[in-house]
Amino acid sequence: MNDQHGRRTSRFTRRDVFKASAGAAAVLGAAGLPVLATGTPALADDNGRKNRHGKGLRVEPLIPSRNRGIILYSVRDRISAAPDDSGIPYGFERVLARLAEIGYKEIEFAGYNQHTSILGRQITPREIRKILDDNGLVANGTHTSINPATFEQQMDIAEELGMKNIGTGSDPTNSVYTADWDAAADTWNDLGRAARKRGLRLYTHNHDAAYGFLLDAGPLDANGKPTRSSGTRRLEYFFEKTDPRYVFFEMDVFWAYVARFKHHTYTDRRGNQQTDLFDPILTVAPRTTRFPLFHAKDGNKNPAVGNGYDMVPLGTGDINFQQFFQTIGEQDFHHANWEQDSAPGGAANPGQSIDFASVSYTNMSELTIYKR
């Protein structure tokens, strides 16, 4: 359906709730995990009284307002913009004020720099923290470089900004071999332990390749490397090799559904092709408290493109966020950061990323859950 401005909007129906993950309800039920109710809930009236169909149900936001965030990569063009007279916000002070006005409560960082002409120098983390505080915003994480050489310095910045989570937009390793993921797990366990001592959670963010299959079986190549797969996915292997007290995850929901589209076959140890359909919900649900953060990034299905989806503002695409966030549960624990890599409109439409941030916040706020 379209709104009054001609923009496509999402309207979740009972049918929508069940269509995203084939067989998910049966598998979740068998595993003792939450399954969406089959009845059709009714609303209480404006005064909280039961209407004749309500049976005591009430409606609440699926993503609490305090947990609705944005990664600044989505509006990177306006953070980095030089001062102009267009009326479109630029730099941290103006952009963060506008995001708070839209309704966002949390900020995930993607760098700490703005155009130096704004202040005549680069802004400092302490100055950014004041802007956050002045606008009632909380830093919930960051995409920075995670390595032992600079980790203490990055934690210093995280603490200055008031973060509880520190992370990266890169995979722990790009390798397809278990030995490299084992080494990465050792490093991340050590760094995660150091982070916990300072009141931080260390997290890694996925793209689709992280849910590709390991090469861990079958004949060896000339370098002694395995050439086939047991069917184990890279990041799922990392789940088990890392300590749940020290290492956490941020699922990018868009890239998880791209992984479902792209990474569904592998060659087993005997040389036979096998099919294994990736399910983002069933990946999170058994370990839901290892995922404090999510990228709520939407997409329209498009099999003609390599990723199978085109990125669009949240709530205007085909990904069923209602089902996703309701089924994984723990809505008070999870923090949803809107992201759209393609949000900047360039010189032709310099205000596009801020406009998309507004549309996406509205659609995020309209996701609801029913409780007694």
Side-chain angles (χ1 to χ4, degrees), residues 10-74:
S10 285
R11 182 177 182 180
F12 292 105
T13 66
R14 175 174 153 77
R15 181 171 175 271
D16 291 331
V17 165
F18 289 95
K19 74 181 182 182
S21 299
V27 179
L28 285 166
L33 296 166
V35 181
L36 299 183
T38 56
T40 302
L43 302 177
D45 64 21
D46 290 341
N47 295 318
R49 298 187 300 270
K50 290 185 292 183
N51 64 25
R52 60 180 179 174
H53 304 294
K55 298 182 180 178
L57 289 172
R58 66 183 187 277
V59 62
E60 294 183 358
L62 183 56
I63 300 171
S65 61
R66 64 184 177 277
N67 292 357
R68 297 174 200 154
I70 177 175
I71 182 168
L72 295 183
Y73 186 73
S74 301

Side-chain angles (χ1 to χ4, degrees), residues 26-262:
V27 179
L28 285 166
L33 296 166
V35 181
L36 299 183
T38 56
T40 302
L43 302 177
D45 64 21
D46 290 341
N47 295 318
R49 298 187 300 270
K50 290 185 292 183
N51 64 25
R52 60 180 179 174
H53 304 294
K55 298 182 180 178
L57 289 172
R58 66 183 187 277
V59 62
E60 294 183 358
L62 183 56
I63 300 171
S65 61
R66 64 184 177 277
N67 292 357
R68 297 174 200 154
I70 177 175
I71 182 168
L72 295 183
Y73 186 73
S74 301
V75 292
R76 62 193 180 278
D77 59 323
R78 300 314 306 169
I79 293 289
S80 62
D84 60 46
D85 58 3
S86 67
I88 303 168
Y90 59 84
F92 281 109
E93 184 173 16
R94 291 165 178 80
V95 172
L96 293 186
R98 176 63 182 130
L99 295 175
E101 184 180 56
I102 289 169
Y104 288 102
K105 298 297 185 184
E106 298 195 323
I107 300 295
E108 185 179 25
F109 284 84
Y112 309 115
N113 292 337
Q114 64 180 12
H115 204 283
T116 55
S117 66
I118 297 174
L119 296 176
R121 57 174 171 78
Q122 194 49 258
I123 195 170
T124 66
R126 179 167 295 182
E127 289 168 328
I128 296 173
R129 174 62 184 271
K130 184 177 186 305
I131 295 169
L132 290 169
D133 292 345
D134 288 348
N135 288 282
L137 295 168
V138 175
N140 69 13
T142 184
H143 281 195
T144 189
S145 176
I146 300 297
N147 64 71
T150 61
F151 194 53
E152 288 294 332
Q153 178 186 10
Q154 291 301 321
M155 288 195 292
D156 289 343
I157 296 172
E159 285 191 337
E160 182 78 63
L161 292 171
M163 293 177 193
K164 296 300 183 185
N165 307 285
I166 181 171
T168 178
S170 303
D171 293 328
T173 173
N174 294 321
S175 175
V176 296
Y177 303 114
T178 55
D180 296 316
W181 284 91
D182 289 341
D186 290 341
T187 298
W188 277 67
N189 281 331
D190 288 343
L191 295 179
R193 188 176 294 108
R196 182 173 177 176
K197 289 179 180 178
R198 294 181 62 168
L200 295 164
R201 285 183 295 219
L202 175 64
Y203 69 94
T204 182
H205 166 277
N206 69 275
H207 290 86
D208 68 280
Y211 290 113
F213 297 99
L214 287 168
L215 294 181
D216 60 351
L220 304 181
D221 64 16
N223 296 315
K225 301 286 189 180
T227 58
R228 297 173 184 168
S229 181
S230 67
T232 302
R233 297 179 186 273
R234 303 179 204 179
L235 200 60
E236 291 180 340
Y237 180 79
F238 193 68
F239 292 157
E240 305 307 320
K241 299 297 291 187
T242 50
D243 192 319
R245 296 173 296 175
Y246 306 134
V247 180
F248 297 85
F249 302 89
E250 175 183 62
M251 177 176 275
D252 186 306
V253 180
F254 174 89
W255 290 115
Y257 279 93
V258 169
R260 180 180 175 89
F261 173 79
K262 290 175 64 175

